[in-house]
Amino acid sequence: MDDRMSLTTQLPRPKLTSKKQLEGLLGRDWKVGYAFILPLVIIMALLIFWPFVSAIFISTTSLNFLTGETTQVGLRNYQRLWSSSDFLQAMQNTIQFTFWSLSLKFVIGMTVALILNSRLPFRALLSGIMLLPWIVPEIVTALAWKSIYDPMFGGLNPILQGVGVIDRPLGWLSDPTMAMGSIISVNVWKGIPFFVLLLLAGLKAVDREQIEAAQVDGANAVQRFRSVTLPSLRYVVVVTLLLSFISTFNQFGLPFLMTQGGPGGATKLYSILAYEKALGSLQYGPGIAIAFSVAPLMAILIWLLARFMRHDDKRDGASAKRSGTGHSVMKIAARVFTGFIDLIFLPINLAFAGIEWLIRRVRVATGRSPVQPIFRKSARSNAGPIARVIVLLPLLAFVLFPFYWIITTSLKSTAQISERRSIFWPEPATLEQYRSLVGDTPFLTWLLNSVFVAAVSTVISVALASLAAYALSRLRFRGAGLLTTLLLITYLLPGTLLFIPLYQTLTTIGVINSHIALIITYPTFLLPFATWVLMGYFRSIPVELEEAARIDGASRLYIFWRITLPLAAPAILSVTLFAFTNAWNEFLFAFVFITSESLRTLPIGLQSLVVGDILPWGKLMAASLLTAVPVAILYVYAQRFLSEGLTVGAVKG
């Protein structure tokens, strides 16, 4: 027996083949996985990470205009910022713009979400109306509101004068004391749907039994919201606020289109200052330094957001311990958020407590029970929906008025607009502005350019995203987790940090001022978005289908093409529609990279119709309407396919 055991232990172990060694080192699916992610890695490396790294080095240089030489100045460009009055004013403007925009969007978005989540007549219709600003291109939003704000021909001053709020026309965008508040209002209008969508989705997941239990315990509406609803929404609220903060803090398009940073720098955000310094004055080093001055803040916010978006409530204790510092930071962030919410709700709680105390005193004085409800249950049940509609009406008017203004202004004649006759209705309605737009401007050329650029960049992005998303969600290979994290960081990276180094990269390779410049740069924001979304869809597809195909001898490529893609068709189509919409609406890259009139896309073409102080409002509103119509059509289709895509994998085959 001992001899047999000794003989067994002396038998040589079988040597691993090179194939097995590679699989052990790189992962079971490394061949297919690396092939699928290669295009994504190349785009991220050449058009995101390399321009980002090169921009860091350029930010340490300065151009001598007398000699034309570029010299190294170290960190001097960054040091000079903190003694520059222009930079300090721009940062103050940016902080003010971000704080008030975020606060108002959160309050209004939460209010609308709570109303739409309750019993309400025509709830589906009202929900659709509140989401309308989301589908409007940025250029259309800016032009519509700029027209409404116009002190001579706009619609806001007559309304306010008619109700006695003001006694004379005001220059909403020309007065330094009013311009910032005016563009904040437009940013809020544009951002409400984002908050409503995410918060409404979170509210649907709140446990109704907990709310009913709190009501039985005597908690009023504010206490139930603060103690039950809001804690259940903390994940959604934090993610929504972080996403909106990153987007709002780095805003460029709306403020630039509406005021170009004026009047007198009153609305000049740091992104506009960076553009003016780098591309307006050709001082690339100082311009990039301005843009990169916020990089540490963006890095912290993106890191926090990445942890929240990849958070798994089912982590075990050992995993939580391994997260160490990150877990502690998350707890600190949660405490800060809780303290902030408590501070906000303190006056509201005090006000409700005062009202309840007053009601009890009145009831006692009149001989009634202090705990008896003011209204009967049936009366409260009938009054609730009516009260919600009353609260929602001003918000509906705020959302719908720009659309009404665009349509009616586009149907007015030039004479009616200039003579200010019948401001709120065309008399008579005419297609003069549309005929002038098509006949006297290159509108159709801009339209075809937008269709071409958006279609090609969308096809490339979605095709490469499908390959990468399948590899990252289904295949096992070394580096998949790191690439997923980098993908999320890239998805959240603001365009204001990239447009200057991308401009230099495109100039170096000789494709600046061409459609190729847009087609190869649009995937920098379309590809990460499409990949990240499709990863979630692919994970919802039952893995048993693929395993059965593998047993039958099918290759990974065959499985991807014949099984996974057909099942994910609704998801891919919805992502394609949203990616096309984003490319169609894009302004910053097209504005910076394209200068020839014949190559302009619609957003840049519409912006070029404004020459100095000459504002052809009728033609601009006609162009705005025609630009928004394709997006609206895509939005209608996207809703249907997105709904189907969300249910992919819900039924096990």
Side-chain angles (χ1 to χ4, degrees), residues 632-643:
I633 295 173
L634 288 176
Y635 173 77
V636 171
Y637 278 98
Q639 290 302 295
R640 179 164 59 93
F641 289 115
L642 179 60
S643 176

Side-chain angles (χ1 to χ4, degrees), residues 386-404:
I386 297 175
R388 297 183 194 110
V389 170
I390 292 174
V391 173
L392 202 57
L393 280 177
L395 298 175
L396 287 171
F398 177 57
V399 167
L400 287 174
F401 183 71
F403 296 97
Y404 174 81

Side-chain angles (χ1 to χ4, degrees), residues 2-21:
D2 295 338
D3 292 339
R4 286 199 301 270
M5 291 182 63
S6 175
L7 182 61
T8 302
T9 56
Q10 292 176 6
L11 288 175
R13 294 182 180 179
K15 293 184 178 180
L16 293 175
T17 63
S18 58
K19 179 180 178 181
K20 292 294 184 182
Q21 288 177 339

Side-chain angles (χ1 to χ4, degrees), residues 454-515:
V456 174
S457 58
T458 297
V459 169
I460 293 173
S461 298
V462 175
L464 299 183
S466 300
L467 293 171
Y470 179 78
L472 294 173
S473 61
R474 281 291 198 250
L475 306 183
R476 295 181 182 179
F477 56 93
R478 184 174 294 276
L482 175 62
L483 184 59
T484 301
T485 301
L486 292 176
L487 185 71
L488 178 59
I489 294 173
T490 305
Y491 171 49
L492 300 173
L493 199 65
T496 49
L497 297 183
L498 292 176
F499 76 92
I500 299 174
L502 277 176
Y503 177 86
Q504 290 195 307
T505 301
L506 296 173
T507 303
T508 302
I509 63 178
V511 297
I512 199 70
N513 192 33
S514 70
H515 287 157

Side-chain angles (χ1 to χ4, degrees), residues 102-116 130 188 191-200 203 395:
L102 238 65
S103 300
L104 291 172
K105 282 188 283 189
F106 175 72
V107 172
I108 297 175
M110 180 65 79
T111 301
V112 174
L114 288 170
I115 292 174
L116 294 179
M130 294 306 301
V188 170
I192 287 175
F194 175 75
F195 277 75
V196 172
L197 274 175
L198 295 185
L199 294 175
L200 188 58
L203 285 170
L395 298 175

Side-chain angles (χ1 to χ4, degrees), residues 342-377:
D342 286 337
L343 185 63
I344 291 177
F345 274 86
L346 180 60
I348 300 176
N349 282 328
L350 291 176
F352 258 76
I355 293 172
E356 289 179 343
W357 177 84
L358 181 62
I359 291 174
R360 284 196 299 268
R361 292 296 300 269
V362 171
R363 284 171 174 167
V364 170
T366 56
R368 290 186 295 171
S369 171
V371 296
Q372 182 182 357
I374 301 177
F375 301 106
R376 292 174 180 167
K377 185 176 180 180

